[in-house]
Amino acid sequence: MSQHIISVSARHRETPFTRRVNAAGVKCYSVYNHMLLPVFFDSVEADYRHLKDHVQVWDVSCERQVEIVGPDAAKLLQILTPRNLSTMTVGQCRYIPVVDDKGGMLNDPVAVKLAEDRYWISIADSDLLFWVKGLAIGFELDVEVFEPDVSPLGVQGPKSDELMARVFGDAVREIKFFRFERFDFQGVSLCVARSGYSKQGGFEIYVDGTELGEPLWDALFAAGEDLNVRAGGPNLIERVEGGLLSYGGDITRENNPYECGLGKFCSVDENSVCIGRDALAEIARTGPSKQIRSLAIEGDPLIPAASPWPILADGKPVGRVSVGVWSPDHRTNVALGIVDKSHWDDGTRVIIATPQGERNATIMEKSFK
Ligand code: THG
């Protein structure tokens, strides 16, 4: 993650919270789904410490929603993903791989079931709307597919239950992981889910209508002053420790879900109707030849830099590291990479050709945390 200045133009969409994010002193933005995504406010390390100890409010509006509504909504969603959604009920969220005809990953969104005939697909960084609209048209399905004015606001960290209870009432404490309940804010019913792109626990509020953004942001900060609430964003160190995948970085269309560790979300028997079924069934039969792993990279703190970095064993390439960064809590560099089957077992020793030189590293079957 080398840092440059990005020229923000009309192609880079602001969010309902951008004025508040700027006022909070954002120091670095990224662009995700053509929209601004705050990267850090103090420093990546300082924001990491604060996220693990307190509570943060995240402008993750760039997790845009693809809304599918109509009599064929459930049918379309099941064409989109190999994950079996037949038992999904209203109020549930599901992490779903979305693949093309070859089984290549197109996105790894969260699906939200709002009603029997209405879903949001909360997308990672690729233009999934085009794919979904194309399938709806091609299969002549009775659905509307569009991007609603809905912007997720994350509340993440160990004090997030307390902060959310102060704004929405104690009932938020009862929301189960990857489920949502509806709560009123200024007369508007909002979906509040227990989910989010960190392992510290927390919520995502699907803010329905740009005009609610600033009042909601202000309510959270007013209620959380004594909790040391701060603005934050998905944190590089914390998410690599937790093994949370970043589409376009750690995984791309070159990878199938089995390589991404998402095989547990693929049911591709003869009843399956998803795009890519045959390709996935073939990969499932033989098993993937490489897979995502966490790695511990030894030596001095690595400064995040352009990747991939080759993974070597006996001088030969056996994979690629997509991200590596110093973890203050684990006192080692934590990393994610895709590793060949020959070297993917827990404890395997490899060499990483980092921009700061060759380093010894250990493959891990489980993530840090
Ligand atoms: N929340 C919402 N939308 C999103 C993200 C999010 N869209 C973009 C991006 N993040 C999509 N990618 C992910 C990656 C990981 C998770 C969610 C979305 C995640 N994984 C958990 C884990 O790996 O521990 C749980 C997965 C499970 O068990 O189902 O949360 O963050 N709204």
Side-chain angles (χ1 to χ4, degrees), residues 32 63 65 83 94-95 107-110 112 122-125 152 177-178 195-199 204 206 242-245 264-265:
Y32 190 103
E63 297 167 354
Q65 308 309 302
R83 184 156 181 185
R94 295 275 178 88
Y95 186 31
N107 205 290
D108 67 333
V110 176
V112 180
S122 186
I123 62 172
D125 191 17
F177 186 62
F178 263 56
S195 57
Y197 199 67
S198 91
K199 290 284 190 182
E204 291 177 306
Y206 290 83
L244 293 173
L245 303 178
K264 57 182 180 281
F265 299 137

Side-chain angles (χ1 to χ4, degrees), residues 29-49:
Y29 273 117
S30 184
V31 176
Y32 190 103
N33 285 323
H34 317 280
M35 190 172 258
L36 296 174
L37 168 62
V39 174
F40 64 83
F41 287 81
D42 189 349
S43 67
V44 174
E45 280 208 18
D47 287 13
Y48 160 89
R49 187 73 275 134

Side-chain angles (χ1 to χ4, degrees), residues 293-299 310-319 321 332-333 339-353 358-365 368:
R293 285 289 180 273
S294 291
L295 299 91
I297 305 179
E298 294 166 14
I311 305 176
L312 306 167
D314 304 320
K316 293 195 188 69
V318 295
V321 163
T332 186
N333 297 290
V339 187
D340 291 351
K341 189 175 183 176
S342 56
H343 289 78
W344 75 21
D345 286 349
D346 191 66
T348 304
R349 302 280 293 161
V350 291
I351 305 269
I352 313 299
E358 293 199 349
R359 298 286 185 87
N360 292 314
T362 306
I363 306 291
M364 300 168 52
E365 219 142 88
F368 297 81

Side-chain angles (χ1 to χ4, degrees), residues 14-338:
E14 294 196 337
T15 84
F17 316 105
T18 296
R19 289 202 303 190
R20 293 294 188 267
V21 166
N22 291 339
V26 66
K27 287 205 181 116
C28 179
Y29 273 117
S30 184
V31 176
Y32 190 103
N33 285 323
H34 317 280
M35 190 172 258
L36 296 174
L37 168 62
V39 174
F40 64 83
F41 287 81
D42 189 349
S43 67
V44 174
E45 280 208 18
D47 287 13
Y48 160 89
R49 187 73 275 134
H50 180 267
L51 169 62
K52 286 186 148 189
D53 293 342
H54 301 285
V55 55
Q56 294 183 348
V57 176
W58 292 5
D59 176 3
V60 282
S61 302
C62 66
E63 297 167 354
R64 301 312 294 163
Q65 308 309 302
V66 174
E67 179 161 339
I68 306 177
V69 60
D72 290 334
K75 187 175 174 192
L76 176 54
L77 194 61
Q78 196 61 89
I79 289 172
L80 271 168
T81 180
R83 184 156 181 185
N84 179 356
L85 300 178
S86 62
T87 59
M88 187 178 186
T89 57
V90 174
Q92 287 184 336
C93 311
R94 295 275 178 88
Y95 186 31
I96 58 165
V98 174
V99 304
D100 67 14
D101 54 319
K102 306 279 192 277
M105 291 287 294
L106 295 178
N107 205 290
D108 67 333
V110 176
V112 180
K113 183 165 182 174
L114 299 162
E116 289 303 330
D117 63 350
R118 185 168 173 234
Y119 297 82
W120 283 334
I121 311 176
S122 186
I123 62 172
D125 191 17
S126 75
D127 291 310
L128 199 70
L129 182 74
F130 302 161
W131 177 253
V132 182
K133 282 180 85 75
L135 291 177
I137 293 166
F139 283 94
E140 298 184 31
L141 297 176
D142 188 0
V143 287
E144 299 281 342
V145 178
F146 60 98
E147 182 183 309
D149 178 18
V150 170
S151 297
L153 186 65
V155 176
Q156 298 286 305
K159 300 181 187 169
S160 51
D161 275 69
E162 178 59 27
L163 177 56
M164 288 293 284
R166 290 182 189 183
V167 173
F168 291 99
D170 274 321
V172 294
R173 297 178 192 275
E174 310 306 322
I175 303 172
K176 293 196 179 69
F177 186 62
F178 263 56
R179 288 184 180 249
F180 73 84
E181 302 280 347
R182 290 188 165 274
F183 291 87
D184 273 8
F185 182 76
Q186 296 192 346
V188 182
S189 166
L190 300 179
C191 295
V192 175
R194 190 180 288 278
S195 57
Y197 199 67
S198 91
K199 290 284 190 182
Q200 305 311 308
F203 301 86
E204 291 177 306
I205 309 160
Y206 290 83
V207 181
D208 200 336
T210 292
E211 64 288 350
L212 281 181
E214 291 183 355
L216 178 57
W217 180 283
D218 293 342
L220 288 162
F221 278 83
E225 209 172 329
D226 63 307
L227 300 176
N228 192 14
V229 62
R230 284 192 205 164
N235 184 274
L236 181 75
I237 309 169
E238 196 274 344
R239 76 107 181 151
V240 174
E241 286 179 354
L244 293 173
L245 303 178
S246 176
Y247 183 77
D250 308 315
I251 58 173
T252 71
R253 214 167 60 227
E254 306 298 310
N255 301 116
N256 62 60
Y258 300 94
E259 293 171 355
C260 304
L262 303 178
K264 57 182 180 281
F265 299 137
C266 296
S267 335
V268 283
D269 57 21
E270 63 280 3
N271 299 318
S272 167
V273 295
C274 74
I275 303 288
R277 177 193 66 183
D278 295 345
L280 293 177
E282 180 58 21
I283 301 161
R285 200 177 58 75
T286 55
S289 59
K290 53 189 176 177
Q291 200 167 56
I292 191 92
R293 285 289 180 273
S294 291
L295 299 91
I297 305 179
E298 294 166 14
D300 293 341
L302 290 170
I303 295 147
S307 63
W309 307 337
I311 305 176
L312 306 167
D314 304 320
K316 293 195 188 69
V318 295
R320 290 137 64 99
V321 163
S322 49
V323 60
V325 64
W326 178 255
S327 161
D329 283 355
H330 294 280
R331 309 298 304 167
T332 186
N333 297 290
V334 295
L336 291 170
I338 293 188

